[in-house]
Amino acid sequence: MDLKQIISHAKEYGFIYPSSEIYDGLAATYDYGPLGVELKNNIKNYWWKSMVHMHQNIVGLDAAIFMHPKTWKASGHVDAFNDPLIDNKDSKKRYRADVLIEDYISKIETKINKELAKAQKRFGESFDPQKYRKENTRVAGYIEKIESINSRMNTALSSGQLDDLKKLIEELGIACPVSGSKNWTEVRQFNLMFSTQLGNIAGDDGVLYLRPETAQGIFVNFLNVQKSSRAKIPFGIAQIGKAFRNEIIARQFIFRMREFEQMEMQFFVRPGDEMQWYDYWKNTRMHWHQALGTPIDHLRYHDHENLAHYANAAVDIQYRFPFGFKELEGIHSRTDFDLSQHQELSGKKLRYFDPEINESYVPYVIETSIGVDRMFLALLSEYLTEEEVPDTQEGATRTVFKIHPALAPVKCAVMPLLKNKPDLIAKAKALFDDLRLDFNCQYDEKDAIGRRYRRQDAIGTPFCVTIDFDSLEDQQVTVRERDALTQDRISIEQVASYIDQRVQLSTLLKK
Ligand code: ATP
């Protein structure tokens, strides 16, 4: 499905609404509806269980959103959490300079892909795209151009030479997508942190920031957690919570929001061991995504060329969103940057005495950081599909959300075959009351059974249980499975355990 279809499906079925919609919405802010909140909770639960409960040496934390303002000075966010911003003087639209350049590069990539597709048609089976990329002068020229633009952009970004970014935009002839004009302002740095004011302190001393990442709540609590849980290095602290960024361009639905939720884990290691743990977390996190059934070629690693001020290695796990491969999760080797900075600004020691080597040191940190909302969008993008129904009894096409049963917002729907038969209804309701003790279930008696199945398919319910006239006699029910459309006839007493075996998070965690 394309992004437009995903957005309208998400709204129609109560997954996601634009925020404050009756006032025409607030840009880049969204509200999660009845099914959205269930799915979001399931994503968070899957992450929490696999990170905290499945690792003996990882514990959880829930730090406050507000933190002492010095936190953000120490972390570098006050001085360096900036995006390069440029305005178009005619349309008055504001852009990220690096994104304008990246969009330009994407257009060249589209040209390369078109050339490759043409050549593939011409040469058929014997076509070797890698060879063609090197040997075809037009394609090789495009690739060279991309490399040169990337290199100039990265140098300008890392050295803070904003006028070079402007020059690059002018040389490439990039026009404003809205006005078509090339009348640009200078490039300026724009800090992405939202700030607010403490009630009882006037002026700069009372400025508070809304946290732009959850990580710092973990760093400032490093010693509290280490001591109170008697943790030995290597160990990790995990946290799920809201983060806020005043993104300049907020688009692509819940991919880039101004208020979003992160699931972050900071893993504290002995200095020198960080690359070994970096590789461990890189693999472990990729595995977490693949366990859901997401195909290998829809996920990829992308090494950072332009390292953040705190990192000595960084990689993104990118997912193939409807608008291309984009970051879903980041894995960063953050060195001892954060703890050292907090030590310096707070004047408090943040060291660890390692009994195994009889030495005390500031630990190094490997971070894994993923946005709940981006994960949500990845799941909608991957598993929401339209397909022909092989069994014609059920109608020609259907929209089905083929999400892993363990994450499905509703696990099971209970349906009496007909709605005006009190015996069927009584039996169905009794089963529903029993099942909802264990799972999130729906009871549905409206419309023909085929339409009821369609509704459950569209929200990803893995099992529909139908009570028919035979059920009254033989105490058996039909369980229909969402993806294969198989129908199992099982005893009513077995329904709970039948579903339980198939929807538990443990089916995912065991992978
Ligand atoms: P991007 O380059 O896309 O802006 P980033 O590199 O700034 O992302 P990180 O600071 O590494 O992102 O944040 C970790 C994770 O938090 C990201 O992988 C993403 O899943 C999520 N995230 C970051 N910014 C946003 C946002 N504005 N809206 C939704 N999720 C976000």
Side-chain angles (χ1 to χ4, degrees):
M1 276 196 186
D2 64 26
L3 189 61
K4 250 187 167 166
Q5 290 169 302
I6 291 174
I7 295 171
S8 82
H9 187 91
K11 185 172 171 209
E12 183 182 347
Y13 285 92
F15 285 94
I16 299 165
Y17 316 119
S19 166
S20 6
E21 197 186 9
I22 57 168
Y23 295 102
D24 295 333
L26 177 68
T29 326
Y30 291 90
D31 298 339
Y32 286 82
L35 292 177
V37 65
E38 296 290 340
L39 175 52
K40 214 175 171 204
N41 284 341
N42 293 346
I43 295 171
K44 290 193 267 187
N45 218 355
Y46 173 39
W47 186 86
W48 191 263
K49 279 208 160 213
S50 53
M51 298 299 273
V52 181
H53 296 176
M54 301 297 287
H55 286 93
Q56 266 190 332
N57 56 354
I58 299 183
V59 291
L61 180 75
D62 185 12
I65 288 176
F66 288 140
M67 300 183 69
H68 193 286
K70 273 195 190 168
T71 310
W72 305 110
K73 188 77 191 152
S75 68
H77 284 83
V78 172
D79 298 317
F81 193 52
N82 299 320
D83 273 344
L85 167 149
I86 190 165
D87 294 326
N88 184 271
K89 291 185 193 161
D90 297 317
S91 66
K92 307 271 183 273
K93 286 274 174 200
R94 181 163 280 183
Y95 298 94
R96 259 173 69 177
D98 54 334
V99 172
L100 282 179
I101 298 168
E102 276 165 9
D103 286 350
Y104 183 89
I105 291 175
S106 302
K107 283 188 192 141
I108 309 180
E109 275 167 353
T110 311
K111 284 186 191 162
I112 296 177
N113 290 337
K114 272 195 189 146
E115 292 285 338
L116 290 177
K118 256 200 289 179
Q120 167 89 56
K121 246 193 195 158
R122 186 146 34 101
F123 297 114
E125 295 246 313
S126 64
F127 180 61
D128 177 350
Q130 289 312 332
K131 204 161 159 232
Y132 197 78
R133 281 171 161 269
K134 279 193 203 124
E135 291 175 3
N136 179 279
T137 44
R138 189 176 303 163
V139 172
Y142 285 146
I143 293 173
E144 205 177 304
K145 186 161 184 195
I146 291 180
E147 281 167 1
S148 141
I149 297 173
N150 258 329
S151 144
R152 278 185 63 188
M153 178 173 74
N154 286 329
T155 313
L157 285 173
S158 50
S159 64
Q161 298 287 334
L162 299 182
D163 40 345
D164 281 354
L165 279 184
K166 164 103 188 266
K167 253 189 235 153
L168 189 56
I169 287 173
E170 283 172 342
E171 277 173 36
L172 297 174
I174 296 177
C176 165
V178 174
S179 64
S181 117
K182 296 175 188 168
N183 192 7
W184 296 109
T185 62
E186 296 305 308
V187 178
R188 282 160 295 146
Q189 293 289 24
F190 177 80
N191 194 290
L192 297 183
M193 280 197 295
F194 281 104
S195 61
T196 184
Q197 190 76 29
L198 266 180
N200 58 350
I201 301 175
D204 279 357
D205 289 350
V207 170
L208 277 189
Y209 295 104
L210 296 188
R211 66 180 177 199
E213 61 177 25
T214 60
Q216 298 305 325
I218 294 179
F219 290 125
V220 300
N221 277 298
F222 162 69
L223 267 194
N224 278 339
V225 174
Q226 190 268 321
K227 285 191 174 143
S228 57
S229 46
R230 291 181 296 137
K232 287 209 174 72
I233 270 180
F235 76 93
I237 306 176
Q239 169 163 234
I240 300 177
K242 288 261 174 149
F244 304 82
R245 296 184 186 178
N246 200 356
E247 301 278 2
I248 299 172
I249 39 157
R251 53 176 191 193
Q252 290 155 338
F253 195 34
I254 53 170
F255 180 81
R256 191 176 299 287
M257 301 154 89
R258 298 208 166 98
E259 172 182 343
F260 58 100
E261 210 164 356
Q262 287 186 315
M263 305 187 280
E264 296 199 300
M265 192 278 302
Q266 313 291 327
F267 200 71
F268 299 90
V269 305
R270 199 181 280 169
D273 286 355
E274 71 271 17
M275 289 323 285
Q276 164 199 335
W277 285 108
Y278 177 71
D279 288 339
Y280 171 84
W281 284 110
K282 226 174 116 168
N283 290 329
T284 305
R285 293 305 304 151
M286 183 60 102
H287 202 73
W288 185 88
H289 292 281
Q290 286 170 358
L292 290 168
T294 306
I296 294 179
D297 60 345
H298 290 188
L299 291 160
R300 71 180 187 195
Y301 291 117
H302 174 77
D303 285 309
H304 284 212
E305 285 161 26
N306 192 11
L307 286 178
H309 57 277
Y310 51 75
N312 70 355
V315 66
D316 293 337
I317 293 179
Q318 294 187 331
Y319 170 72
R320 204 187 67 167
F321 287 98
F323 36 86
F325 271 101
K326 292 272 183 285
E327 171 176 348
L328 172 60
E329 168 157 11
I331 294 132
H332 311 124
S333 172
R334 290 181 82 124
T335 67
D336 59 354
F337 175 84
D338 302 87
L339 288 180
S340 301
Q341 286 287 105
H342 287 305
Q343 240 185 192
E344 205 176 311
L345 264 87
S346 67
K348 307 276 172 5
K349 284 219 155 57
L350 293 174
R351 298 173 75 81
Y352 170 82
F353 177 75
D354 190 331
E356 278 179 33
I357 52 171
N358 233 0
E359 249 181 56
S360 130
Y361 51 77
V362 178
Y364 270 43
V365 171
I366 305 299
E367 161 183 83
T368 73
S369 172
I370 174 170
V372 179
D373 315 87
R374 262 188 213 182
M375 185 63 198
F376 197 113
L377 182 58
L379 292 172
L380 283 178
S381 310
E382 183 64 42
Y383 296 106
L384 190 60
T385 49
E386 263 173 54
E387 65 175 24
E388 305 238 327
V389 188
D391 177 357
T392 46
Q393 268 180 348
E394 288 204 10
T397 60
R398 63 170 184 164
T399 301
V400 52
F401 186 30
K402 292 187 168 177
I403 186 159
H404 192 288
L407 296 194
V410 177
K411 306 298 186 202
C412 155
V414 181
M415 310 170 168
L417 187 63
L418 298 172
K419 81 165 174 190
N420 48 4
K421 300 286 173 204
D423 289 0
L424 291 185
I425 288 176
K427 200 156 194 74
K429 285 200 166 154
L431 178 62
F432 171 63
D433 282 340
D434 189 28
L435 292 179
R436 67 209 259 207
L437 293 171
D438 294 319
F439 322 107
N440 188 27
C441 295
Q442 284 192 353
Y443 172 81
D444 192 0
E445 58 177 33
K446 264 192 234 125
D447 300 321
I449 199 85
R451 286 187 70 175
R452 282 183 263 168
Y453 283 158
R454 280 300 91 78
R455 273 202 293 271
Q456 296 300 331
D457 287 344
I459 64 171
T461 308
F463 299 103
C464 291
V465 182
T466 308
I467 284 80
D468 55 25
F469 292 106
D470 287 343
S471 310
L472 302 176
E473 305 299 323
D474 63 8
Q475 309 303 322
Q476 293 202 333
V477 293
T478 304
V479 183
R480 171 210 186 247
E481 196 274 334
R482 179 194 67 199
D483 299 346
L485 299 171
T486 47
Q487 305 219 353
D488 279 352
R489 191 84 188 156
I490 61 172
S491 122
I492 213 160
E493 276 167 13
Q494 287 172 347
V495 175
S497 72
Y498 179 99
I499 295 175
D500 189 66
Q501 281 165 24
R502 291 161 174 84
V503 304
Q504 283 301 336
L505 263 180
S506 56
T507 58
L508 271 175
L509 298 172
K510 279 182 194 152
K511 289 193 192 171

